[in-house]
Amino acid sequence: MKALAAANDLQRRESCWSHCFVKNLIDFGFKGSIYPINPSADEIRGIKAYKSILECPGPVDVVHMVIPAKFVPQAVEDCGRKGVKHIIINSGGFGETGAEGAAIEKDFLERAGRYGIRILGPNCQGVINTDPGIRAYCNFTFTKPDPGFISIVALSGGVAEVVHQAFAQMGVGTRIYASNGNAVDVTIPEIMRYLGEDEGTRVIVTYVEGLRDPANFMQAAAAVAAKKPILAMKAGRTREGAKAAASHTGGLAKEDIATDLIFKKAGVLSFRDEGHLIQAAAAFGSQPIPKGNRVGIITNTGGPAVIATDVLVGAGCTLPPLSDKTRALLKEKLYPEASIGNPVDVLATGTAQHYRVCMDAMMEDESFDCVFVNFVTPFFVDNESIAREIVAVNQQRRKPIVCNLMTDKQQWSEVVRILREGGVPCFPLPGEAARAMAALVQYHAIRSREASPIQLFADVKPEKAKKLIAEARATGRTQLDAAEVYGVLDAYKIPVAKWRLAASPAEAAQAAAKIGFPVVLKADAASVVHKSDTGGVALNLASASAVKAAAAEMKRAIAAPDLRFFVQKFLPTGLELIMGAKAEEGLGHAVVFGLGGIYVEVMQDVVFNLTPVSAAEAREMLDAIQAAPLLSGVRGKKGVNRDRLVEILQRLSQLLTDLPQIQEMDLNPVMAFADKAFVVDARISLKESA
Ligand code: ADP
Ligand code: MG
């Protein structure tokens, strides 16, 4: 960036805006030329001002524009004539204010389009770039960051600034900060891709409230996250007033889960707490990515190491024992009273040399992927020397280090300074440091995820399923009837228990005989949602007379005019699972898998994933539920055929991809056995409009 022009509305806010922007640029050490543009000032902060951009002597790379909305279209036009290609518009008063503002927005966008100008904003905070060769501060907030490796991108300037300020307070530098407000042109995914390419950015931090173009975000995030970590936080989770969904799947997804699923699928690390996100980012900004989850702990005090251990193990890290070689070395070099295990306790009297020996040994020891340092600053040791040794090892960048620094920052300011300048991520609490380390490990796990292509089965009959759906629509229904539901499942070869429909108790008995006893009788009527709740399920009927009697009783209990009888093969007791789906705007479907049956809402042991689901993702879903051990078999009980379930999930995913009209789908239960699995209850509803 060679030159930057700052236009402003002098009449209204001379004292603040114009001077402020120019001052910000100068104070931040901007490396290019600055041309203030102002209709009625000759100079601003000692720099010659121009009446119009067209009068600027040199070429202008970026215009930072802060003028009332109504002047923006003409100013953009002038920029176009000058050959400017990039404009940051801080001003508000556009689409966010209503129709009039939206019209102005449309106007300047058209003009920008004609000249090939890219716009960041409007109604945004702008950009900061700390690159020593640029030093641009095109922003109106107060944080003046030191150069670092963390880049921040967010629509919301407020949150971006909070995050930015938190880094500054931790003494952690940042690289590029972009907050694009109304985002009428340059989007978050586009900025993310740019940061993905930017060599100076090691980690990207983003904050979202909702995603405008979820599919685009997911694509960009997936591409970037494969190269460098993206740490994200989603706010606005609770879905107030979400109407109670008729199916289990809808009811189980109480929160706005779509964004989380996007994060997961794209490999973005998702945070629920901005503090945790900031702490993790600080670690990513300075540390290499570990090659595994094995942590070695060095401490000079007991308790905090215990807290750290709990957090690390809880987050999936392991604390392996020291190798024999490390153990022997430390026995020789540390105090005889030191505890030589993992954690290694060098004792409060432990010296800089003790720390150094331990750290070197753990860097060398193949048993460890990361090193966690607990450092309390006792007055009787040379804490500055300890800090220097930690820094020296840190600068080798062999394995990631985080440090839980327990100190009085005023009294030990030199220690703090040494560690800070040495790029050691320090946290005052052991849990904080441990969570930051766990995030590094988690990113490694994401990166090592098994790549698995989406499998498409050739034996499916999409046309048959589409026809059934079209027929239901033609009758004005959004709820498929039993024949349609099972027809759709059949078209995708999703195995179902044998079934027949009957209009009367007598027909039901005949149907049962054809299927073969024992059977199950179920009420089939539009008004009956959860059949067991209303006496609509009669299990294990072994004879024609039992079927007839159950049907007569059902007819009495459920006085629905459209009542029919769904007769189904009774299956021996298996493991009851749920599979299902729910449409997600702009994304396809969220697929659910978990422990099923009539208590599914009570257990809430389910996981979600977005379509399309690969075999590896399906396996991951199976492993992710609490009850996962039941699938493999426990206490002498046989497990179920996992491969079969993985296949059914993939077939379900294919079905959903082919049939975007489906709103919700519920296969509950899917009865799973050691060899096979069958759907015994299914519901499908369609979107209101095709
Ligand atoms: P709903 O969910 O509408 O109450 P289901 O058809 O799921 O009705 O039946 C309720 C429960 O009955 C199931 O969770 C399962 O335990 C049992 N059940 C249903 N169908 C069968 C079947 N064909 N064989 C064995 N048990 C069944
Ligand atoms: Mg059911």
Side-chain angles (χ1 to χ4, degrees), residues 248 497 520 522 528-533 536-537 539 568-573 576 596-598 668-669 671 680-682:
H248 301 286
V520 179
K522 298 182 186 180
V528 180
V529 177
H530 299 306
K531 298 176 284 297
S532 334
D533 294 352
V537 178
L539 298 169
Q568 193 181 44
K569 182 78 189 161
F570 176 76
L571 299 176
T573 311
E576 295 198 21
I598 53 175
N668 182 33
M671 288 279 204
V680 303
D681 185 23

Side-chain angles (χ1 to χ4, degrees), residues 4-257:
L4 198 140
N8 78 310
D9 171 24
L10 180 79
Q11 289 88 343
R12 285 196 345 193
R13 304 171 241 185
E14 181 180 5
S15 56
C16 178
W17 291 112
S18 53
H19 286 256
C20 209
F21 284 116
V22 174
K23 180 175 186 308
N24 275 343
L25 278 167
I26 297 169
D27 289 354
F28 203 58
F30 179 61
K31 297 293 179 204
S33 320
I34 304 170
Y35 305 122
I37 315 289
N38 196 294
S40 48
D42 295 329
E43 59 88 27
I44 289 174
R45 294 244 152 208
I47 304 178
K48 179 174 163 44
Y50 299 87
K51 304 269 179 271
S52 149
I53 183 97
L54 297 165
E55 290 173 16
C56 283
V60 174
D61 296 311
V62 180
V63 165
H64 185 194
M65 197 180 278
V66 200
I67 57 178
K70 61 180 175 188
F71 298 133
V72 167
Q74 184 54 52
V76 168
E77 182 82 37
D78 290 348
C79 287
R81 287 169 53 207
K82 174 75 182 166
V84 173
K85 294 294 175 208
H86 304 93
I87 306 179
I88 299 163
I89 307 177
N90 279 149
S91 335
F94 300 93
E96 80 282 4
T97 59
E100 205 179 313
I104 303 177
E105 204 166 86
K106 193 160 166 266
D107 183 1
F108 81 65
L109 262 177
E110 270 167 19
R111 295 176 200 245
R114 239 182 290 129
Y115 290 103
I117 300 173
R118 302 302 313 273
I119 306 265
L120 190 104
N123 187 31
C124 75
Q125 272 199 3
V127 173
I128 300 170
N129 189 338
T130 66
D131 188 310
I134 298 175
R135 306 284 306 162
Y137 199 94
C138 303
N139 187 291
F140 59 85
T141 48
F142 44 84
T143 305
K144 295 276 160 64
D146 288 331
F149 303 96
I150 305 170
S151 288
I152 303 163
V153 53
L155 286 180
S156 159
V159 175
E161 182 58 23
V162 165
V163 171
H164 208 199
Q165 184 51 220
F167 285 129
Q169 270 167 18
M170 283 172 83
V172 171
T174 54
R175 172 143 174 103
I176 292 172
Y177 170 100
S179 174
N180 59 342
N182 292 7
V184 297
D185 180 14
V186 176
T187 61
I188 299 260
E190 193 178 0
I191 299 172
M192 221 138 75
R193 283 188 192 274
Y194 174 84
L195 296 175
E197 296 295 319
D198 174 45
E199 275 185 16
T201 297
R202 280 187 196 156
V203 48
I204 299 166
V205 168
T206 187
Y207 165 87
V208 301
E209 274 160 20
L211 297 173
R212 286 195 196 167
D213 183 353
N216 186 20
F217 180 94
M218 184 151 80
Q219 257 180 7
V224 175
K227 283 186 279 189
K228 58 182 76 166
I230 302 176
L231 277 50
M233 185 165 146
K234 156 88 172 76
R237 294 173 161 279
T238 48
R239 193 179 268 174
E240 298 294 334
K243 59 176 185 267
S247 74
H248 301 286
T249 307
L252 288 166
K254 283 200 188 64
E255 287 188 334
D256 168 17
I257 54 161

Side-chain angles (χ1 to χ4, degrees), residues 251-302:
L252 288 166
K254 283 200 188 64
E255 287 188 334
D256 168 17
I257 54 161
T259 311
D260 279 324
L261 296 181
I262 292 173
F263 289 167
K264 188 167 143 201
K265 204 155 180 115
V268 169
L269 285 176
S270 162
F271 292 80
R272 287 182 165 242
D273 178 294
E274 68 279 19
H276 298 171
L277 179 149
I278 288 160
Q279 287 147 10
F284 278 106
S286 61
Q287 297 304 306
I289 307 299
K291 299 211 164 52
N293 67 343
R294 303 164 309 162
V295 183
I297 302 183
I298 301 168
T299 188
N300 61 354
T301 173

Side-chain angles (χ1 to χ4, degrees), residues 469 472-473 477-478 480 661-663 684-688:
I469 286 178
R473 270 228 196 279
R477 280 176 296 127
T478 54
L480 300 196
Q661 309 93 315
I662 291 177
Q663 173 62 37
I684 295 178
S685 65
L686 304 177
K687 291 177 185 165
E688 288 297 334

